[in-house]
Amino acid sequence: MLEVSAGANDETERMVKLMFKMGEVEKELVVVQAGESMETILAREREVLMKFYNATNGRNWSYSYGWGDDKVPVSDWAYVKTDNDGRVVALNIGTNELTLSGSLPAELKDLKKLRILNIGTGNFAGAEIPEELGELENLEELTLKQCGFTGEIPASIFKLTKLKILDLGVNNLSGSVPAEIRNLTELTYLSFERNRLSGDLDLTGLSKLEDVYMLENNFTGDIKFLETLTSLVNFSIWRNKFTGEIPAGIGNLQQLESLQLAENNITGSLPKEIVSSPKLHYIDISLNRLSGMIPDELLNWEYTYIDEDEDGNEITVHEKFDWSNLYNWNRVCNQQAGYGFDNAPVKPIG
């Protein structure tokens, strides 16, 4: 007996051919699974968009060309992008375009081809991020920034393994970030900044991450994972409760430009390897619990960065860290009471 099974089909008709051979006898079995017509699918996606429009107070949007107008194809609606079949692949409402309010409808899960969901600002105070967004398995960008969302980050989000950008910054989210975040191996940009998240954070192995912004939360645990983020360019965990030491492996981060570790409970000494990152030009480790000696390598630290001249041309700048500059001195040497570097340069007056 042969049994053939398949998951539910919410797309157009699909077919598979199975070939069987016994001795000299060959047989072909064609299995056809019924589906919906493209017309039906497009009508449903249009309906989903209108539910989104109504749930987010669309009547008061400052600009909403096409929305709800039967004479305008969805492909021409403001903020919507479709593929060649007319399927919705992007809903992109960036910062400063308009402020949404209300809530996000669970029906967004029915936009099966959606790759980008970007809401750059909103007023969703008291609303939570729908768990159903985790069913958007083709999603590559999820940006819900500065929207006022409350509650925890839905666990389903960490099943979206195609995500490259995940930005839930500047909300009122609470709870912890599960270890399953390490399933998001395609991430290049990650921001949970300015929320109320807590618990240990472990990003070990997310080697494609370039930008990480976790500032102003209540995260705990060590930052050993930092040395595994081999594509890292910008890293900010300012004002949290991280502990442990700065890993010596930080010197292996050849793309690192900015390191912001201020206002945590980081202990131990400052690793000399920190200057082995050739592009690193900004360090803020102030208000931690570091101690010991500043390595000679850092006292003589020379770094390189890319800037523009007055004509807008890209230039390479070579500079030596200026310890006499009060701002520079503070961001490296300013420590919590009872801690500090034994050989810190003398703090300039004024």
Side-chain angles (χ1 to χ4, degrees):
M1 182 179 67
L2 174 67
E3 291 185 1
V4 178
S5 62
N9 184 21
D10 54 6
E11 301 288 336
T12 53
E13 179 181 281
R14 56 189 179 183
M15 177 185 70
V16 64
K17 293 181 180 180
L18 303 175
M19 295 296 298
F20 298 92
K21 183 176 182 179
M22 181 176 290
E24 299 298 322
V25 180
E26 289 188 6
K27 292 291 184 180
E28 180 184 272
L29 175 64
V30 178
V31 180
V32 178
Q33 186 179 33
E36 295 179 303
S37 68
M38 185 59 69
E39 182 180 34
T40 300
I41 292 172
L42 295 181
R44 182 170 61 248
E45 291 197 350
R46 187 186 186 98
E47 181 181 346
V48 170
L49 289 176
M50 287 309 300
K51 287 185 177 180
F52 171 80
Y53 177 82
N54 292 324
T56 58
N57 196 25
R59 291 183 180 277
N60 289 318
W61 290 3
S62 58
Y63 181 73
S64 59
Y65 175 78
W67 286 77
D69 189 338
D70 292 337
K71 298 179 181 179
V72 179
V74 168
S75 58
D76 291 338
W77 290 12
Y79 321 114
V80 176
K81 182 179 179 180
T82 62
D83 62 15
N84 291 335
D85 293 324
R87 305 289 300 274
V88 179
V89 295
L91 185 53
N92 199 341
I93 304 175
T95 305
N96 298 325
E97 290 183 359
L98 69 161
T99 299
L100 309 184
S101 60
S103 62
L104 294 185
E107 287 83 0
L108 284 173
K109 68 182 176 60
D110 291 326
L111 300 177
K112 299 297 183 181
K113 297 292 185 179
L114 196 65
R115 295 199 301 269
I116 297 174
L117 177 57
N118 176 10
I119 300 176
T121 185
N123 181 16
F124 295 96
E128 298 187 4
I129 299 173
E131 184 80 29
E132 290 82 0
L133 293 187
E135 298 182 35
L136 295 170
E137 59 184 24
N138 288 303
L139 210 59
E140 297 178 6
E141 176 183 349
L142 177 59
T143 296
L144 303 174
K145 184 173 184 177
Q146 199 170 335
C147 290
F149 285 112
T150 58
E152 299 187 4
I153 301 174
S156 62
I157 298 299
F158 303 108
K159 297 178 181 179
L160 298 174
T161 56
K162 294 182 180 180
L163 276 180
K164 297 178 181 179
I165 297 173
L166 178 56
D167 188 350
L168 304 180
V170 198
N171 284 290
N172 290 306
L173 299 171
S174 57
S176 60
V177 176
E180 284 75 14
I181 192 173
R182 292 179 295 180
N183 295 333
L184 307 185
T185 55
E186 297 299 312
L187 279 180
T188 62
Y189 185 99
L190 176 63
S191 174
F192 295 151
E193 65 175 305
R194 295 186 172 95
N195 278 287
R196 296 185 291 113
L197 298 166
S198 58
D200 291 0
L201 179 71
D202 187 359
L203 306 179
T204 300
L206 296 182
S207 60
K208 294 184 179 181
L209 271 176
E210 298 176 5
D211 300 283
V212 176
Y213 299 101
M214 297 292 164
L215 54 147
E216 293 193 76
N217 280 284
N218 292 299
F219 287 121
T220 54
D222 62 44
I223 56 172
K224 179 70 175 174
F225 64 83
L226 179 58
E227 61 187 4
T228 73
L229 309 183
T230 51
S231 299
L232 198 62
V233 177
N234 298 297
F235 184 76
S236 178
I237 58 170
W238 170 59
R239 196 171 286 174
N240 277 278
K241 297 178 181 178
F242 285 102
T243 56
E245 300 183 1
I246 301 172
I250 193 173
N252 297 325
L253 306 184
Q254 296 298 290
Q255 304 304 316
L256 187 62
E257 297 180 6
S258 175
L259 182 66
Q260 169 61 279
L261 309 179
E263 294 192 47
N264 282 281
N265 293 309
I266 297 171
T267 56
S269 59
L270 187 58
K272 64 180 181 180
E273 291 83 0
I274 203 166
V275 299
S276 297
S277 299
K279 297 182 180 181
L280 183 62
H281 63 269
Y282 184 89
I283 296 177
D284 191 344
I285 53 175
S286 62
L287 297 172
N288 277 287
R289 296 174 178 267
L290 296 166
S291 59
M293 309 283 277
I294 297 177
D296 290 340
E297 290 84 353
L298 190 55
L299 289 172
N300 297 293
W301 178 32
E302 295 183 0
Y303 55 87
T304 301
Y305 64 95
I306 304 298
D307 204 350
E308 291 184 352
D309 62 18
E310 58 184 11
D311 297 320
N313 299 313
E314 189 175 275
I315 57 173
T316 301
V317 180
H318 302 278
E319 288 191 6
K320 184 173 182 178
F321 193 84
D322 182 8
W323 289 98
S324 67
N325 181 286
L326 179 61
Y327 175 69
N328 286 347
W329 192 96
N330 276 335
R331 76 183 203 221
V332 174
C333 296
N334 188 22
Q335 305 295 316
Q336 294 182 9
Y339 299 86
F341 298 113
D342 296 336
N343 65 333
V346 176
K347 182 178 179 179
I349 297 174

